[in-house]
Amino acid sequence: MIGYSQVPDLPITFDNSSITYTLVDFGGNASKVAADPKNSSNKVAEVTKTNTAQTWAGTTIGPATGLANKIPFSSSSYKILMKVYSPDSGIVIRLKAENAANGSISVETDALTTKKNTWETLEFDFTKQVADTAAINYSNTYQKLSIFFNFGVTGATAGAKTYYFDDVKMGAAINAQIDLPVTFDATK
């Protein structure tokens, strides 16, 4: 429908034309919805951390009021999966969930890229919060997500770099490995 606009909600794919995918930059980032670097028919978020970006430069996914619904964190659902395309492997990507009305209510976690110039799915486990930041509290309302590429490194140090992300969703562990003996009793 032309003129119809919705606030995004999980999962976020950037492909629904009825949703306005707002990206709010801070600290020296420049973001937009763009074509996938590997598949031009797929839309993704493109984030450039400029050469003047701060260590904490980031991008909030959605408007200042947050996502359409709160992130459904619970004691059995505390991971967010995201496809990421990075020009470098081994960089820290931080994901922060916060309350849209009170930014002091938040939880942050990190993941590392393992590939470069290819898509990979990263797992952000919010039970493993960043040191010296608040732990997840399932009674809190979190409805805002911000992503920080190459967290802790300035744009002046790294140079301008462009990153992409897509398919942001709640998820279970990926690449879970089992060890011998197999008893089928473990829950994770």
Side-chain angles (χ1 to χ4, degrees):
M1 292 172 63
I2 296 173
Y4 180 72
S5 177
Q6 263 178 275
V7 175
D9 201 6
L10 294 176
I12 298 171
T13 66
F14 300 103
D15 292 315
N16 187 334
S17 61
S18 68
I19 296 175
T20 299
Y21 295 102
T22 306
L23 299 169
V24 180
D25 298 313
F26 49 91
N29 271 3
S31 302
K32 63 184 179 181
V33 175
D36 180 330
K38 296 287 188 181
N39 175 2
S40 62
S41 66
N42 183 41
K43 291 183 182 171
V44 299
E46 177 186 286
V47 179
T48 299
K49 189 167 180 178
T50 67
N51 61 359
T52 59
Q54 302 295 317
T55 58
W56 45 267
T59 301
T60 299
I61 307 165
T65 55
L67 301 173
N69 293 291
K70 74 179 198 167
I71 300 166
F73 287 131
S74 70
S75 60
S76 61
S77 181
Y78 46 81
K79 295 177 181 178
I80 292 181
L81 304 179
M82 180 185 302
K83 286 176 58 180
V84 171
Y85 184 100
S86 169
D88 301 302
S89 63
I91 66 158
V92 173
I93 300 178
R94 180 163 293 180
L95 192 60
K96 178 180 184 181
E98 65 184 295
N99 182 286
N102 182 351
S104 67
I105 298 172
S106 65
V107 60
E108 303 175 32
T109 191
D110 292 338
L112 288 175
T113 59
T114 62
K115 299 176 181 179
K116 67 180 201 174
N117 297 323
T118 191
W119 286 103
E120 67 179 309
T121 301
L122 297 183
E123 176 184 279
F124 295 90
D125 182 342
F126 283 90
T127 63
K128 297 178 181 176
Q129 76 274 7
V130 173
D132 300 321
T133 66
I136 194 166
N137 180 335
Y138 302 118
S139 64
N140 285 341
T141 296
Y142 306 98
Q143 74 270 47
K144 193 172 174 182
L145 282 174
S146 296
I147 187 167
F148 307 80
F149 286 99
N150 207 8
F151 187 83
V153 179
T154 66
T157 300
K161 302 270 182 162
T162 300
Y163 306 90
Y164 301 88
F165 70 92
D166 197 11
D167 299 336
V168 183
K169 62 185 178 180
M170 296 301 294
I174 55 174
N175 299 329
Q177 180 177 343
I178 60 172
D179 294 318
L180 296 175
V182 177
T183 64
F184 301 102
D185 294 323
T187 59
K188 290 186 181 181

